[in-house]
Amino acid sequence: MAHAPTRSRKPTDLNKGQILPVLFFILALIPQGVVAQVYGSSFHNVTVTVATVNIVQASAAVVSLTIGPADVTAGVDLMGPVTNSATSLLWGFNSSLRKVTVRTNLAAPKFILKVLCVTPSQGTASPEVTLSTTAADFLINTGRSSGTCTIRYSGTALASAGTGTDSHTITFTVAAQ
Amino acid sequence: MNRREQHIATAVRRLAVLSLLAVASAFGQEASTNQTLTLQVFETNKIDINQRAVTLVINQASLETGSPIEATNEDGNLIWITNGENKKITVASNNAAPRFLVKVNALDITGSSGVAAPEVTLNDNTTKDFVVGVSRTWGKCKIRFVASAKVADGVGTETHLITYTITGG
């Protein structure tokens, strides 16, 4: 009696019912990150907002000027001038066409104080200003720039003004031109 | 990325944007800056003359009296400035006992910069008033010298070193 040839079965062979659980088991071992890199995508929105920036700063907070005998000529009414160019003004604007004004808080000074913006790296220096409580142009035609200039103060006094001390608070302000 | 990580990332992004806005806003508000300036004026008194040497020559005599005719000189100018109060200008010679007579006074004082003192005789080396009432002013005047001599004084030359001083009045 002849027998039909039969395939011998190895002990490690899996049947169809066993393959699926094994496959799931292997997939479960793969890290989620690998799956995301291959099959996933993600996005987000980044919003950058730049506000109007107007910054102005003096390099030193205190300045002093002194008129004494060395600054006076006999027979000349005006004593001085004495000057101080030790400080600078620094600025940064991201708006078009800005200017810097200057004023003092001292309503009735005894002596004459003038200020000038010297060699600005950007913009145009205004003519020398005699300081008062009304804001006057110090630097004009500056737009979207950062820069610096030397602040030159000039003090004079008339003999008739006598002696004494003027204390000013000088304010530099950014304004639209 | 799990849900928790996504929430963290979203929160970080929002915080960054808020920080950027806050910084930009802070810069935007700082649109002015202040500087304190002190201008001090000390008391100053200065005086000067425009002519360092003055010569007076007496070489004529009056036909009527026979006395020498006095010599005058107004070439010199005195200039001054003071921002102090109640000052005066004095004059002094270094010649303690002059043989000839020299007088001096201030002429044509500008504006209200002082009042001329009466004519001064420089007959010793003491200090005498020349211009008074000088306060917070600058000024100018002519210096007028008058020299005279008596016949009995004879001939000769005298030198005076004249000093003008602006001082407290």
Side-chain angles (χ1 to χ4, degrees), chain A residues 65 105 130 168:
Chain A
L65 290 167
N105 71 328
T130 299
H168 296 259

Side-chain angles (χ1 to χ4, degrees), chain A residues 90-113:
Chain A
L90 303 94
W91 68 85
F93 316 135
N94 62 356
S95 305
S96 58
L97 215 50
R98 287 289 188 270
K99 66 178 181 180
V100 178
T101 63
V102 63
R103 63 182 169 82
T104 176
N105 71 328
L106 194 60
K110 289 179 71 175
F111 313 115
I112 303 159
L113 179 62

Side-chain angles (χ1 to χ4, degrees), chain A:
Chain A
M1 182 175 158
H3 294 278
T6 58
R7 182 174 169 266
S8 63
R9 187 179 176 193
K10 293 180 182 177
T12 53
D13 285 350
L14 299 172
N15 61 28
K16 286 182 180 176
Q18 292 172 315
I19 287 174
L20 209 53
V22 171
L23 188 59
F24 283 139
F25 177 74
I26 292 170
L27 286 174
L29 291 177
I30 297 174
Q32 281 187 329
V34 174
V35 175
Q37 286 175 9
V38 176
Y39 300 107
S41 66
S42 181
F43 67 90
H44 59 200
N45 293 323
V46 177
T47 302
V48 178
T49 302
V50 179
T52 300
V53 176
N54 293 319
I55 185 168
V56 63
Q57 187 175 358
S59 63
V62 178
V63 176
S64 64
L65 290 167
T66 302
I67 296 176
D71 312 301
V72 176
T73 302
V76 178
D77 190 19
L78 199 63
M79 301 188 294
V82 293
T83 60
N84 183 307
S85 300
T87 61
S88 300
L89 190 74
L90 303 94
W91 68 85
F93 316 135
N94 62 356
S95 305
S96 58
L97 215 50
R98 287 289 188 270
K99 66 178 181 180
V100 178
T101 63
V102 63
R103 63 182 169 82
T104 176
N105 71 328
L106 194 60
K110 289 179 71 175
F111 313 115
I112 303 159
L113 179 62
K114 296 180 179 181
V115 66
L116 175 67
C117 174
V118 178
T119 58
S121 60
Q122 300 284 335
T124 307
S126 295
E128 191 173 45
V129 169
T130 299
L131 282 162
S132 72
T133 53
T134 303
D137 288 352
F138 177 75
L139 174 70
I140 59 174
N141 299 330
T142 58
R144 293 182 186 173
S145 67
S146 61
T148 181
C149 74
T150 299
I151 305 169
R152 194 188 79 164
Y153 290 106
S154 174
T156 53
L158 295 171
S160 57
T163 61
T165 302
D166 278 347
S167 293
H168 296 259
T169 297
I170 311 294
T171 302
F172 297 91
T173 304
V174 181
Q177 188 172 322

Side-chain angles (χ1 to χ4, degrees), chain A residues 44 52 54 56 60-61 63-67 69 72 75-77 79 87 153 160 162 164 166 168 170-172 174, chain B residues 13 17 21 27-28 30-44 46 79-83 136 138:
Chain A
H44 59 200
T52 300
N54 293 319
V56 63
V63 176
S64 64
L65 290 167
T66 302
I67 296 176
V72 176
V76 178
D77 190 19
M79 301 188 294
T87 61
Y153 290 106
S160 57
D166 278 347
H168 296 259
I170 311 294
T171 302
F172 297 91
V174 181
Chain B
R13 282 198 305 273
V17 170
L21 285 173
F27 277 122
E30 194 173 358
S32 67
T33 188
N34 291 334
Q35 201 169 37
T36 300
L37 186 143
T38 303
L39 174 56
Q40 188 170 17
V41 179
F42 293 122
E43 181 177 307
T44 299
K46 285 223 171 174
I79 52 177
W80 63 88
I81 182 174
T82 179
N83 60 353
R136 292 187 184 184
W138 66 282

Side-chain angles (χ1 to χ4, degrees), chain B residues 89-92 120-131:
Chain B
I89 297 168
T90 61
V91 61
V120 169
T121 301
L122 299 174
N123 55 356
D124 55 27
N125 58 0
T126 61
T127 299
K128 300 172 174 71
D129 288 352
F130 185 68
V131 177

